[in-house]
Amino acid sequence: MNKLFALLSILLFSFSYGQYYKAELLYKDGNTEKGLLNSLVDINNRKAKKAVFKSDENAQKKVISVENVERITYFNDDGSTSIGELVNFRNKRNLWAFKIKEVKDLTVYSITVHIPAQYRSGGIITPSTTYTDYLFKYKDEAADHVFRHYVGPSIGEKAANKKWLKKYFKDKCAKLAENVDELEYEKESPMPFVDYYEKHCK
């Protein structure tokens, strides 16, 4: 299930860059608005301040500010929903991310990043890259990047993720930090470590 969720997140909100999805906006004043909204990838590329919205397929596009939006709910084709929230990242910037799970005082978010192919001097073309970052928010602290999954092959991804996990949980749950190497590892998702936190950390 964890692998399936991670895969669906990437397919829906990264490769379909520039498309629109059925969504509902909940504003901070309590009002709501339903229609078609661009993906969180697009919104974050606009520095988390703007979104493109249409009331239906035939309506004109309008650019709206999301600074007054409390929550974005996307309605998936299978009947499920994905919740987007504005997350304070490392006290440096705000990012819209999907809330994956809340465990005790830990909240896990995901954000998919797509970097298009780029032409560089000398005729070199850098291929496009897509990856999903998992952000962990502990209590009232700013969210931090703890796990990354690249679509396609990558070098050193597993070692880097384990290093980040150990560092992040060193002061939050020493037992988890010490057992990172012993736990099941899933390339697509940090959920085995989140499950351990839920069961064994105070």
Side-chain angles (χ1 to χ4, degrees):
M1 181 62 70
N2 293 332
K3 292 182 179 180
L4 177 61
F5 180 85
L7 180 60
L8 288 176
S9 296
I10 293 168
L11 290 177
L12 288 173
F13 299 105
S14 182
F15 290 121
S16 47
Y17 179 87
Q19 295 186 11
Y20 296 84
Y21 305 91
K22 294 178 182 178
E24 180 181 71
L25 300 175
L26 171 64
Y27 292 95
K28 292 179 180 178
D29 62 6
N31 289 323
T32 60
E33 187 172 23
K34 284 187 176 181
L36 299 173
L37 190 72
N38 56 330
S39 72
L40 293 191
V41 177
D42 293 324
I43 295 172
N44 283 322
N45 281 347
R46 293 170 178 265
K47 297 184 179 179
K49 294 182 179 180
K50 301 290 182 182
V52 181
F53 182 85
K54 298 190 294 183
S55 58
D56 57 55
E57 287 284 358
N58 299 318
Q60 282 191 324
K61 300 176 185 178
K62 66 175 182 178
V63 177
I64 63 172
S65 171
V66 290
E67 293 182 321
N68 295 319
V69 174
E70 183 76 26
R71 184 177 69 237
I72 300 173
T73 302
Y74 287 93
F75 300 96
N76 305 319
D77 291 339
D78 62 1
S80 64
T81 59
S82 300
I83 305 299
E85 294 183 350
L86 194 61
V87 180
N88 178 15
F89 178 63
R90 292 180 177 173
N91 286 323
K92 293 182 178 179
R93 61 180 297 200
N94 291 325
L95 295 171
W96 282 93
F98 286 110
K99 179 186 283 187
I100 303 301
K101 190 171 184 179
E102 283 186 274
V103 176
K104 299 178 180 177
D105 45 16
L106 183 72
T107 306
V108 183
Y109 297 89
S110 74
I111 178 171
T112 299
V113 178
H114 179 73
I115 302 173
Q118 299 180 37
Y119 178 83
R120 301 185 182 278
S121 61
I124 299 174
I125 297 178
T126 304
S128 62
T129 302
T130 301
Y131 60 86
T132 297
D133 272 345
Y134 288 87
L135 312 179
F136 286 26
K137 184 179 184 302
Y138 180 74
K139 295 185 177 179
D140 294 327
E141 296 179 3
D144 204 353
H145 160 248
V146 180
F147 194 97
R148 175 173 290 178
H149 163 55
Y150 281 93
V151 176
S154 60
I155 299 174
E157 177 181 305
K158 183 176 181 179
N161 283 333
K162 288 189 172 184
K163 181 179 179 181
W164 287 328
L165 286 160
K166 290 176 183 178
K167 180 180 179 181
Y168 186 79
F169 285 107
K170 181 179 178 181
D171 298 323
K172 297 175 178 64
C173 180
K175 185 186 297 185
L176 173 53
E178 293 168 1
N179 285 283
V180 164
D181 292 325
E182 309 302 322
L183 297 177
E184 175 189 3
Y185 181 86
E186 293 181 1
K187 174 178 170 60
E188 298 88 353
S189 165
M191 287 306 115
F193 305 99
V194 176
D195 292 342
Y196 183 95
Y197 182 89
E198 183 174 20
K199 295 176 182 177
H200 302 286
C201 300
K202 294 182 179 180

